[in-house]
Amino acid sequence: MGKIKKTERIFTPVTGIKHLISLTEARGEKTLFRFREGTGYGSMSYATFYRRTLAVAAGLTSMGLANKRIAIIGETSPEWVSTYLGTIAAGGVIIPMDKELNITEIEGFLSGVDAEAVVMGKGFAEKFAHAMESHPSLRYFFSTEEVEENDKLLRFESLVKKGEEALAEGYALPVREHEDLAVMLFTSGTTGTSKCVMLSEKNVCAAINAACATVDFAPTDTAVSVLPIHHTYELMCMLALINYGATVGINDSIRHLMKNLAEFRPTGLVLVPLFVTTMHKKIWEEARKKGKDKALTAALKLSGGLRHVGVDLRGSLFKSVNAAFGGRLQKIICGGAALNPEMVKKYDALGIRICEGYGITECSPLIAVTPYFAPKAGSVGPSV
């Protein structure tokens, strides 16, 4: 694998979630999120995200939920991220839930941690119908869908509106202790039984800063969010990208992945090994389907020989391969399980760098990552 020049990481180390939110305001109308909307695509700027996150914090406060435990469940969306940051900034504890869990199990977990409200995505208003009548701790249910409201069930936009009214009256984010409990996560880990992991605001920010210091991303980058957002791995990478000032495309479905990659044109991806190996398999399937597999094999041999004498033509030789990912893909962060070292070499041969990392939820989750300037197949690198 070729050597990469080490460059200075330019980012602002965040001291807290309130600080991270304040950084988004300064980026103004730069695009933060892109996502599927109806039959097309929509976007949200950093400035809009800033205002909505503040409104979530203010709305929760106006409803007496400032220091309470708030659950969040649903697909990846700007609303999900605003709720996560807004809840912590308001002084509360956020509880990200796995949307694939059985609803009875979800209700039990939320009862066990005394959650008082839940912000939920598509389809969950119906699933939580029983909880709205009899759950021992949940008092409010905020839905991102156009639901019929009542005393307990409100639209997410109604929460935002209450927050905007509070902001107009002078609401400001409170000062909170960074060592205080901020996140509660349910994870089975390697034991097979779910347990609650508790993280402080300081834990989360330490992981964000460590990620920014060790990965090769910049404000000019575009990434695509593919993995479940309730996992600390995906979420930490998302928050690090926000801290960098990058743009994040949201993949809404595995079925739409290739179409979304073509639309968002990422320079980087955050994946697990299954995606890495599946994508590589698709490259060769497409080559065989088009009768170009022999030409691709020959190009790889030619490229390898040229690189030995200091000539790198991967960008032009494999342009059509990269086109399947939007044409700009340069790097992949891979974690969540052990990656076959051969995949690192195979992607490198195509001009795409893989940096493998390792972490656990209890560590927010980043522990180690391969340095972008010293790639080593089969290694997760030094501790951060």
Side-chain angles (χ1 to χ4, degrees):
M1 291 182 286
K3 290 288 182 184
I4 292 134
K5 185 180 178 183
K6 184 177 181 181
T7 55
E8 185 186 355
R9 305 290 85 217
I10 301 171
F11 70 100
T12 303
V14 289
T15 56
I17 296 301
K18 181 178 176 181
H19 182 206
L20 177 62
I21 293 170
S22 72
L23 295 177
T24 64
E25 180 186 22
R27 300 195 177 107
E29 295 309 309
K30 180 179 181 180
T31 299
L32 168 50
F33 289 116
R34 294 192 67 208
F35 42 82
R36 284 177 67 90
E37 190 172 60
T39 57
Y41 290 86
S43 65
M44 179 180 287
S45 70
Y46 270 89
T48 299
F49 177 78
Y50 168 76
R51 290 191 294 270
R52 286 178 71 80
T53 303
L54 279 188
V56 169
L60 291 172
T61 302
S62 69
M63 295 190 70
L65 296 167
N67 303 303
K68 308 302 182 184
R69 295 176 178 181
I70 314 295
I72 174 77
I73 187 166
E75 63 287 338
T76 304
S77 65
E79 292 79 13
W80 199 106
V81 185
S82 282
T83 299
Y84 181 95
L85 296 178
T87 297
I88 297 174
V93 176
I94 191 71
I95 309 167
M97 297 298 300
D98 182 353
K99 64 185 178 69
E100 302 302 329
L101 288 177
N102 177 283
I103 194 67
T104 304
E105 193 173 9
I106 292 168
E107 288 179 19
F109 283 148
L110 297 184
S111 172
V113 295
D114 297 323
E116 296 197 25
V118 57
V119 175
M120 52 196 181
K122 189 177 180 181
F124 280 94
E126 190 176 335
K127 291 179 182 178
F128 273 116
H130 176 263
M132 289 179 206
E133 293 181 6
S134 59
H135 196 275
S137 66
L138 291 172
R139 295 190 290 132
Y140 293 108
F141 301 78
F142 302 103
S143 175
T144 57
E145 294 185 283
E146 292 293 310
V147 294
E148 188 174 330
E149 297 185 322
N150 56 46
D151 289 346
K152 285 189 173 182
L153 177 61
L154 296 169
R155 295 172 189 164
F156 180 79
E157 290 305 320
S158 296
L159 174 66
V160 171
K161 188 177 179 185
K162 285 178 183 290
E164 288 170 345
E165 291 167 358
L167 287 168
E169 292 171 8
Y171 172 84
L173 292 176
V175 175
R176 62 169 285 167
E177 290 296 323
H178 296 163
E179 297 277 9
D180 288 350
L181 177 63
V183 187
M184 300 177 83
L185 300 130
F186 290 95
T187 175
S188 58
T190 54
T191 63
T193 54
S194 288
K195 56 189 177 296
C196 185
V197 171
M198 298 181 287
L199 303 174
S200 70
E201 189 173 349
K202 186 177 179 181
N203 293 151
V204 175
C205 291
I208 294 170
N209 292 334
C212 288
T214 52
V215 299
D216 187 21
F217 278 85
T220 51
D221 277 304
T222 295
V224 175
S225 176
V226 177
L227 305 176
I229 191 68
H230 72 279
H231 286 169
T232 46
Y233 169 40
E234 174 69 10
L235 182 59
M236 179 271 299
C237 290
M238 171 84 76
L239 298 179
L241 288 163
I242 291 173
N243 191 35
Y244 257 129
T247 295
V248 179
I250 296 174
N251 183 62
D252 62 316
S253 164
I254 298 303
R255 296 194 318 274
H256 300 148
L257 178 58
M258 299 315 290
K259 183 180 178 182
N260 288 340
L261 291 177
E263 172 67 27
F264 299 141
R265 303 186 66 232
T267 54
L269 294 172
V270 176
L271 301 174
V272 292
L274 178 62
F275 278 98
V276 172
T277 53
T278 301
M279 282 165 52
H280 188 264
K281 200 181 292 181
K282 282 189 178 294
I283 290 170
W284 282 97
E285 283 175 359
E286 283 298 308
R288 279 189 288 271
K289 200 184 292 182
K290 295 175 181 177
K292 294 182 178 180
D293 50 325
K294 288 180 181 177
L296 180 54
T297 300
L300 284 165
K301 285 181 180 176
L302 173 63
S303 175
L306 289 171
R307 289 176 73 194
H308 275 301
V309 294
V311 180
D312 188 352
L313 294 180
R314 288 175 297 172
S316 54
L317 285 173
F318 307 114
K319 192 174 181 181
S320 61
V321 172
N322 207 309
F325 308 116
R328 300 195 303 162
L329 186 60
Q330 302 164 356
K331 56 217 169 192
I332 295 172
I333 306 297
C334 187
L339 176 68
N340 182 343
E342 288 303 307
M343 282 292 117
V344 179
K345 297 172 185 175
K346 287 175 179 179
Y347 272 85
D348 180 69
L350 294 167
I352 299 167
R353 187 167 74 251
I354 295 181
C355 289
E356 195 175 1
Y358 170 72
I360 56 173
T361 304
E362 292 84 346
C363 290
S364 319
L366 188 59
I367 292 175
V369 65
T370 312
Y372 65 90
F373 53 86
K376 185 178 179 181
S379 170
V380 295
S383 59
V384 295

